[in-house]
């Protein structure tokens, strides 16, 4: 009989890559993790690991079992939840990118707390390049991400639920004189730009769109927080490309649509392969009812 705790260690090894990283993640010694994985090999009568120098890696059989382990563990969680009753209950961990937290995740968590007192939500800010691995590893049960992050595509092991379409807009200080009509990015080649941190979705997208328009943006600041970006733009120190959902109306900024429209598709994603817990279904249903925030000033 397969031991669930050992399957969990194998699943973590497939994501984290080293026994030492798994040990730190689960607060065990590396020797204990190695011993448990060796016992799992004995249980399965299959070679799951092979050494390459001082490290270990999964064999093809190990990779196959690691993929199936996640579905097995999800199914065990679902069975336990059913035994506790039909009402959605237990912990659901939600990972979401920054602008989706206040637009989707917090309103959903608020509704759930009022409707299902035995259901607990845990929110974590995760960029798309972080949230998909976290979902596959079991660190998140539901993530809010975008299908447009080409650096890390969503695979057939994941179930995608569409939530919204969010346009990308040019954001400037509200009192800045602007020509009428949509923004042509080439006209802003000499401007100071605010960007997200390197390798994030919006940083990569801004660089790509500027380069496609024939220029390299003059980056004067990088912030991992959209509110800091909006404050910098509000002061007239920079301009930025942001998702419309990220434009908080508390800041005196103006937005312009792009002459060549760009949108991102916002989705909720769960793991495929096992019946979803009632609590996860309740979270997905709540996420389908986002709160519409007041729009920023739109320039003609």
């Amino acid at each position: 009989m397969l031991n669930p705790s050992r399957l969990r260690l194998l699943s973590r090894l497939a994501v984290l890559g080293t026994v030492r990283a798994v040990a730190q993640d689960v607060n065990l010694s590396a020797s204990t993790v190695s011993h448990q994985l060796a016992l799992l090999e004995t249980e399965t009568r299959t070679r799951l690991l092979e050494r390459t120098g001082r490290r270990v890696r999964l064999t093809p059989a190990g990779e196959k079992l690691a993929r199936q382990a996640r579905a097995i563990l999800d199914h065990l969680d679902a069975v336990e939840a059913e035994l506790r009753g039909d009402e959605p209950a237990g912990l659901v961990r939600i990972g979401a990118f920054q602008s989706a937290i206040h637009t989707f995740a917090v309103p959903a968590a608020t509704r759930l707390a009022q409707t299902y007192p035995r259901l607990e939500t845990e929110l974590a800010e995760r960029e798309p390049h972080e949230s998909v691995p976290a979902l596959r590893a079991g660190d998140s049960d539901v993530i809010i991400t975008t299908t447009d992050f080409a650096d890390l595509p969503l695979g057939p092991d994941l179930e995608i639920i569409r939530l919204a379409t969010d346009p990308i807009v040019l954001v400037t200080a509200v009192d800045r004189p602007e020509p009428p009509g949509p923004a042509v990015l080439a006209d802003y080649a000499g401007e100071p730009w605010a960007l997200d941190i390197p390798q994030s979705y919006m940083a990569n997208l801004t660089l790509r769109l500027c380069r496609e328009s024939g220029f390299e943006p003059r980056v004067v600041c990088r912030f991992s927080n959209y509110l800091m970006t909006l404050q910098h733009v509000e002061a007239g120190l920079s301009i930025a490309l942001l998702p419309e959902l990220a434009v908080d109306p508390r800041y005196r900024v103006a937005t312009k649509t792009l002459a060549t429209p760009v949108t991102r598709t916002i989705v909720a994603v769960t793991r495929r392969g096992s019946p979803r817990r009632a609590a996860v279904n309740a979270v997905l249903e709540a996420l389908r009812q986002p709160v519409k925030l007041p729009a920023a000033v739109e320039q003609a």
Side-chain angles (χ1 to χ4, degrees):
M1 182 177 296
L2 295 176
N3 182 294
S5 63
R6 292 171 191 146
L7 287 176
R8 199 175 300 276
L9 291 176
L10 185 71
S11 175
R12 301 302 291 150
L13 181 61
V15 173
L16 298 176
T18 68
V19 169
R20 183 178 297 276
V22 174
Q24 292 175 342
D25 184 61
V26 298
N27 199 28
L28 294 173
S29 68
S31 60
T32 298
V33 172
S34 295
H35 179 65
Q36 291 298 311
L37 292 173
L39 289 175
L40 183 61
E41 287 188 309
T42 301
E43 289 173 349
T44 59
R45 301 178 183 178
T46 304
R47 188 182 179 198
L48 304 174
L49 308 172
E50 60 185 5
R51 287 203 168 272
T52 56
R54 300 180 62 182
R55 303 182 64 177
V56 297
R57 67 180 182 185
L58 297 180
T59 64
E63 292 177 351
K64 180 178 180 180
L65 181 58
R67 288 194 300 269
Q68 295 172 334
R70 189 64 262 164
I72 293 169
L73 295 169
D74 282 348
H75 184 68
L76 289 175
D77 290 342
V79 170
E80 290 179 1
E82 286 182 11
L83 291 175
R84 290 193 295 266
D86 294 330
E87 180 184 326
L91 176 65
V92 179
R93 294 158 297 181
I94 305 171
F97 56 82
Q98 189 180 147
S99 58
I101 288 179
H102 68 276
T103 311
F104 291 92
V106 170
T110 302
R111 286 190 291 269
L112 290 166
Q114 296 168 347
T115 308
Y116 303 113
R118 295 172 57 222
L119 191 157
E120 180 183 357
T121 56
E122 178 183 284
L123 305 183
E125 181 183 339
R126 299 188 193 275
E127 281 288 312
H129 69 279
E130 301 168 322
S131 62
V132 175
L135 179 64
R136 288 187 167 125
D139 293 334
S140 292
D141 301 301
V142 178
I143 62 172
I144 306 173
T145 186
T146 174
T147 57
D148 307 301
F149 189 66
D151 297 342
L152 192 60
L154 303 172
D157 58 322
L158 303 177
E159 183 171 355
I160 301 170
I161 299 95
R162 186 180 179 280
L163 298 179
T165 299
D166 188 20
I168 304 300
V169 295
L170 180 72
V171 187
T172 67
V174 74
D175 55 356
R176 172 192 169 104
E178 287 287 333
V184 178
L185 284 186
D187 295 341
Y188 298 84
E191 298 292 337
W193 285 81
L195 263 64
D196 206 328
I197 59 175
Q199 301 310 311
S200 64
Y201 170 74
M202 278 310 304
N204 290 350
L205 178 61
T206 299
L207 288 173
R208 178 172 65 81
L209 293 177
C210 289
R211 289 166 181 169
E212 289 176 354
S213 298
F215 70 95
E216 189 73 18
R218 179 166 63 89
V219 181
V220 297
C221 60
R222 285 184 180 270
F223 299 117
S224 62
N225 187 301
Y226 287 150
L227 300 184
M228 296 173 68
T229 300
L230 290 168
Q231 185 179 22
H232 202 265
V233 171
E234 180 185 49
L237 300 174
S238 62
I239 63 174
L241 288 178
L242 290 179
E244 191 172 59
L245 284 176
V247 183
D248 192 308
R250 291 174 296 180
Y251 291 86
R252 296 186 69 254
V253 296
T255 63
K256 287 177 72 74
T257 57
L258 301 182
T260 302
V262 178
T263 60
R264 65 175 180 175
T265 302
I266 300 174
V267 295
V269 187
T270 62
R271 293 181 295 274
R272 193 187 294 275
S274 61
R276 286 202 300 258
R277 288 188 288 142
V280 172
N281 284 330
V283 167
L284 293 174
E285 183 59 34
L287 288 173
R288 292 189 181 100
Q289 307 168 45
V291 173
K292 177 69 174 178
L293 293 179
V297 176
E298 183 170 347
Q299 292 176 334

